[in-house]
Amino acid sequence: MDCSSAWIRGTELKRVINTYKPRHDFGSMKENERVPLDLDKYRYLLGEDRCDPVPFVVQGDLFVTIHDVDVECEVIDFTNIRFTRKALNSAILDAQRDVDAVKDDRYGTTKVSELARSINFGDSDAAVGLSEAVCMWGGGGRVWGNLLRHYDRSELGSELSKWFLSAHKEEDPVRAIGPGIEIKGLGVSFASKHLRFLAPERFAVLDDVLHQGLGYALNAMGYKLFLRDLDRLSKAHDLAYCVADLEHAIFLMVRQIVRSM
């Protein structure tokens, strides 16, 4: 494996350094900087002795871990990126650990998931509360503000409640996301974030990072294609993850490319 041009996004490198406190001499780095990696020098930092080595990029679009460098390994090709199984497994662990959790614990993945499982979708007030939590989870304070600008809380609650009740049982992604897209202020990105919490075993998030990095259209048919491709990926490689976790792991890798320079 040619790893001569290995790099990692500054944000991911900073997180590893802050978490594990390894010795290093990187100095200051920008969050979106593509930081070159000396793999022999930083084997420990990259997780050689851990079960969750950090994914980094080689060959332009291939995500690997330090465990992959000296061995023959399977490379999984998914649209515009490639990754090893170990890189995917590490990204899955990061997704499940909620590495992007917002500072307000109310809006971490675990708390919002618990809220979604506990509410009565027919309760309009509860539907508004869940929607606010989902928007905050996704960094969508402005999106939430736009919803409140377009609707009073009663009207918004009624629209959300009707959508949640139908989407929670809906198998077809187009019919599931359609009513959410029609709610002014959501769009595919935040409508899919809502679906991800309503039924994480069936639905995932399609946002601008995945649109830019993988090429899926931000519309209902693009969402259906994305979910279909995730299902094919899972079956082809016997991946025992729910679709929401699988998508989140791919998102964490794709983001390194999309948001770096």
Side-chain angles (χ1 to χ4, degrees):
M1 180 181 294
D2 179 10
C3 297
S4 58
S5 59
W7 62 269
I8 189 170
R9 181 176 173 235
T11 297
E12 277 66 34
L13 180 56
K14 286 181 179 180
R15 179 172 58 79
V16 172
I17 291 171
N18 291 337
T19 301
Y20 297 103
K21 307 295 191 290
R23 293 183 179 180
H24 68 91
D25 57 5
F26 283 106
S28 62
M29 68 190 81
K30 297 178 180 178
E31 289 190 352
N32 290 331
E33 179 181 353
R34 294 189 174 188
V35 182
L37 292 171
D38 182 331
L39 301 186
D40 290 328
K41 185 176 182 180
Y42 289 117
R43 296 184 76 91
Y44 174 76
L45 181 152
L46 293 170
E48 184 177 43
D49 65 339
R50 301 197 309 269
C51 65
D52 59 342
V54 58
F56 56 89
V57 185
V58 299
Q59 301 174 24
D61 65 353
L62 173 59
F63 286 86
V64 302
T65 74
I66 197 66
H67 293 177
D68 299 309
V69 171
D70 300 320
V71 298
E72 291 290 329
C73 54
E74 175 190 12
V75 173
I76 299 171
D77 196 323
F78 184 69
T79 61
N80 290 327
I81 65 164
R82 298 173 295 152
F83 42 83
T84 64
R85 187 174 290 265
K86 290 180 180 178
L88 176 63
N89 289 343
S90 288
I92 288 282
L93 289 174
D94 279 342
Q96 293 174 339
R97 281 194 297 254
D98 202 11
V99 296
D100 286 336
V102 293
K103 292 182 179 179
D104 190 330
D105 186 55
R106 294 175 300 169
Y107 304 131
T109 302
T110 299
K111 288 295 181 65
V112 180
S113 296
E114 290 173 351
L115 178 61
R117 288 194 297 267
S118 68
I119 73 166
N120 174 5
F121 296 131
D123 183 334
S124 61
D125 288 335
V128 169
L130 175 59
S131 184
E132 179 180 11
V134 171
C135 289
M136 295 304 110
W137 171 83
R142 182 175 296 179
V143 172
W144 179 244
N146 284 337
L147 288 174
L148 295 181
R149 182 167 57 84
H150 291 303
Y151 304 92
D152 63 45
R153 292 184 74 92
S154 176
E155 184 183 12
L156 178 60
S158 177
E159 293 293 322
L160 290 168
S161 182
K162 287 188 294 185
W163 175 37
F164 292 171
L165 284 168
S166 64
H168 185 251
K169 300 177 181 179
E170 182 57 66
E171 295 290 339
D172 181 75
V174 172
R175 290 197 295 267
I177 201 169
I181 296 173
E182 292 177 2
I183 295 176
K184 295 178 182 178
L186 282 185
V188 170
S189 176
F190 275 84
S192 66
K193 288 177 172 67
H194 284 71
L195 292 181
R196 177 253 183 272
F197 284 101
L198 294 181
E201 70 283 356
R202 296 201 312 277
F203 300 125
V205 175
L206 175 60
D207 71 352
D208 189 60
V209 166
L210 294 169
H211 162 65
Q212 290 186 52
L214 300 181
Y216 291 98
L218 285 173
N219 57 35
M221 292 306 295
Y223 185 60
K224 182 174 184 175
L225 177 62
F226 178 51
L227 292 181
R228 180 176 294 175
D229 285 350
L230 287 175
D231 182 61
R232 288 173 178 167
L233 173 69
S234 183
K235 290 176 178 176
H237 297 279
D238 194 23
L239 303 176
Y241 309 118
C242 79
V243 67
D245 283 346
L246 179 58
E247 170 273 312
H248 196 167
I250 291 171
F251 165 84
L252 291 175
M253 291 187 286
V254 172
R255 186 176 60 179
Q256 288 210 53
I257 293 176
V258 171
R259 292 188 176 170
S260 63
M261 53 191 174

